[in-house]
Amino acid sequence: DAGVTQSPTHLIKTRGQHVTLRCSPISGHKSVSWYQQVLGQGPQFIFQYYEKEERGRGNFPDRFSARQFPNYSSELNVNALLLGDSALYLCASSYTNPREGGYGYTFGSGTRLTVV
Amino acid sequence: DQQVKQNSPSLSVQEGRISILNCDYTNSMFDYFLWYKKYPAEGPTFLISISSIKDKNEDGRFTVFLNKSAKHLSLHIVPSQPGDSAVYFCAASVGKAAGNKLTFGGGTRVLVKP
């Protein structure tokens, strides 16, 4: 039973370049969210997609964009990379928590992006 | 403006004893709270959640307490085990719909000593 898969696992880019990160949610999960985790901090919400539509956007510049495909996989794109974009990028797909009547996220292991 | 805060960056506890992790929030609209555990090189793993209509939820060794008037929640781990050594994140959301934005605290690093 595959979990949330992200690729690549590690990436080194130069300032000014563009990067595309990919995520495949758990089968049957239609919602995908992206988070950025800078070292020493908690994850910060970037985007949420549900049924291929953007449902939420965090406080990130327009250099960040994303999309979701018909098979519910997703891409996160970052243009004009800055040193401060170095972080762990986490993808999560959502499920309903039957015990609590709420939901939980299953996170992937993330893509470690280093901008030099 | 940090809406979710974990004021203790680290915690050291002896194996078998209780670990207590604290979390404070400022946004009164938050009504669903979650705890995650994170090992290095892995994504956060869901531990336990609680909705604002409850003040306590238990799952095995993990219990979460919610004090809405104080805007405070805590996670108790009893008994603590060496495998519990990890970074723990508190998170909150408005509403319980799948995929709602999570606002995370900064994390507490727990070390359980054998």
Side-chain angles (χ1 to χ4, degrees):
Chain A
D1 187 20
V4 177
T5 57
Q6 292 187 244
S7 62
T9 55
H10 295 84
L11 201 52
I12 299 175
K13 289 286 192 178
T14 304
R15 276 180 299 175
Q17 284 189 315
H18 162 271
V19 69
T20 297
L21 310 181
R22 295 178 174 83
C23 171
S24 293
I26 291 173
S27 177
H29 289 190
K30 299 180 180 179
S31 177
V32 170
S33 299
W34 288 93
Y35 287 78
Q36 179 196 65
Q37 186 182 11
V38 173
L39 198 62
Q41 298 180 18
Q44 297 287 315
F45 174 76
I46 310 175
F47 286 110
Q48 189 233 337
Y49 277 78
Y50 181 78
E51 288 280 14
K52 302 180 289 296
E53 289 189 6
E54 181 182 304
R55 294 294 184 92
R57 171 186 279 259
N59 188 23
F60 280 81
D62 292 343
R63 299 184 295 107
F64 288 76
S65 63
R67 55 180 175 168
Q68 187 177 31
F69 299 99
N71 65 354
Y72 303 112
S73 67
S74 178
E75 282 183 355
L76 175 70
N77 295 283
V78 187
N79 292 324
L81 285 166
L82 303 175
L83 296 180
D85 295 331
S86 296
L88 180 67
Y89 288 85
L90 295 162
C91 173
S93 70
S94 307
Y95 63 93
T96 300
N97 181 348
R99 288 190 63 181
E100 262 292 298
Y103 70 91
Y105 281 167
T106 299
F107 282 89
S109 295
T111 294
R112 171 72 62 188
L113 172 65
T114 302
V115 182
V116 297
Chain B
D1 177 28
Q2 263 192 297
Q3 298 187 58
V4 178
K5 288 185 181 180
Q6 296 175 252
N7 291 317
S8 298
S10 63
L11 172 70
S12 183
V13 65
Q14 207 66 35
E15 180 179 4
R17 305 294 290 269
I18 185 171
S19 294
I20 299 177
L21 290 79
N22 293 303
C23 177
D24 297 295
Y25 62 96
T26 57
N27 187 345
S28 57
M29 296 295 291
F30 287 145
D31 59 0
Y32 191 60
F33 304 90
L34 308 91
W35 284 93
Y36 283 85
K37 177 171 72 173
K38 188 179 184 302
Y39 294 117
E42 295 183 13
T45 302
F46 171 75
L47 278 176
I48 192 169
S49 62
I50 188 167
S51 65
S52 59
I53 60 172
K54 296 184 178 181
D55 54 18
K56 177 182 174 181
N57 188 32
E58 282 183 83
D59 188 356
R61 298 186 296 113
F62 303 93
T63 302
V64 57
F65 296 91
L66 176 62
N67 182 333
K68 289 186 291 295
S69 61
K71 295 191 176 65
H72 176 84
L73 62 156
S74 61
L75 174 69
H76 293 205
I77 306 173
V78 183
S80 299
Q81 300 173 354
D84 295 331
S85 297
V87 178
Y88 289 77
F89 292 100
C90 166
S93 72
V94 177
K96 295 165 66 173
N100 275 8
K101 167 189 173 181
L102 290 178
T103 301
F104 283 85
T108 297
R109 183 176 302 276
V110 173
L111 175 64
V112 180
K113 299 178 181 178

